[in-house]
Amino acid sequence: MLKVLCVCGLGQGTSLILRMNVESVLKDLNVQADVEHTDVSTASGTAADFIVTSNELAQSLPGHAAKIVVVNNYFDLDEIKSSLQGALPS
Amino acid sequence: MLFLEKGLVALDIEPDSAEDAIRAAGKLLVGRQAAGGEYVEAMVAAYREKGPYIVIAPGIALPHAKAESEETKAAVSFARLKRPIVFGHADNDPVDLVFALASSSGSEHIALLKRLTMLLNDPGSAEALRTAKTAEDVEKLARQASI
C-alpha cells in the first residue's frame, strides 16, 4: 500500500489538518493509502512513497527518497487533489 | 473544547509584527484560561525557529506550539488584523486571519482540528470571517459551519 506522510514543523497541528484533507481526497480518488502525520525531523528519517507538505518545509527535506508533493492552501481540496493526481502513478 | 466563541475573538486589531499578531491571538487563549503565558511565548518561538509554514492558506496563519504543561486546554482563538501583515510566506502572505491553537493531545485536539478544517474547507468561510461585524457573528458562523 502507498505510504503518505503529511509533514509540518511540530507534527501535531497543521500536519493533522493536511492529513484529514489528504485522506478525504485519496478516498475521493479511490486510492488506498496509509496516511500519517509527523514533524519534519522525524519525516527525514522515515521511509514513504509520498510526502505532502508546504513549500518551506519541502526545502528542509532534500534528498528524501519519497516524492514530495507541495500544497500551498491546506483548505483547498481541489489544489490538494490536482497536486496528488500529478504525483500519483497513473 | 473552546472553539471560536465570542470571548476568543478579537476583530480588527493592529499588531506591529507577525510576532505581535501571534501574541494577540494567544492572549485570547490566556483570557479564557485555555493556555498560560508560557504557551503563548512557545508559539512565538515556534514561529521564529520553524518559520512561516504556519501560514497554511492565503491570508491565514495557524500558530501553535507543543503543549508542555497540563494547563493547556483544547481551544482555538481568532484575531482579525485590520492591516494584513507579512509573515514571510512565499505564496500565502500577507496574513489577516490568525487562529491560535491551544494544543492538547488526544481526541479533543483531533476533534478541534476537525472542526477548524470543516470551517475553513468551505471557500466562503474566509470571506465571511473577513466581513463579520462582531465577535458574535464569528461565533455563529463557527457554530453553523462545523456541525
Side-chain angles (χ1 to χ4, degrees), chain B residues 14-80:
Chain B
E14 301 185 67
D16 293 325
S17 64
E19 292 190 9
D20 276 354
I22 294 169
R23 283 196 187 93
K27 216 171 93 183
L28 296 165
L29 297 172
V30 176
R32 293 288 278 110
Q33 283 89 44
E38 275 174 40
Y39 182 79
V40 176
E41 287 311 308
M43 289 197 300
V44 174
Y47 165 69
R48 210 178 283 149
E49 285 158 25
K50 303 193 184 281
Y53 82 88
I54 55 169
V55 187
I56 55 175
I60 298 176
L62 185 82
H64 59 291
K66 272 203 158 88
E68 304 277 352
S69 72
E70 294 292 315
E71 62 178 318
T72 310
K73 281 191 271 189
V76 177
S77 67
F78 170 59
R80 187 172 73 194

Side-chain angles (χ1 to χ4, degrees), chain A residues 17-64:
Chain A
I17 290 176
L18 192 55
R19 176 184 169 172
M20 290 171 190
N21 281 342
V22 164
E23 278 175 340
S24 84
V25 164
L26 287 174
K27 203 170 153 200
D28 249 22
L29 293 171
N30 244 328
V31 175
Q32 294 256 333
D34 170 23
V35 185
E36 287 176 25
H37 66 281
T38 188
D39 66 277
V40 68
S41 47
T42 308
S44 58
T46 306
D49 298 297
F50 294 98
I51 287 178
V52 188
T53 191
S54 68
N55 192 24
E56 255 99 21
L57 295 179
Q59 286 158 22
S60 315
L61 293 162
H64 200 290

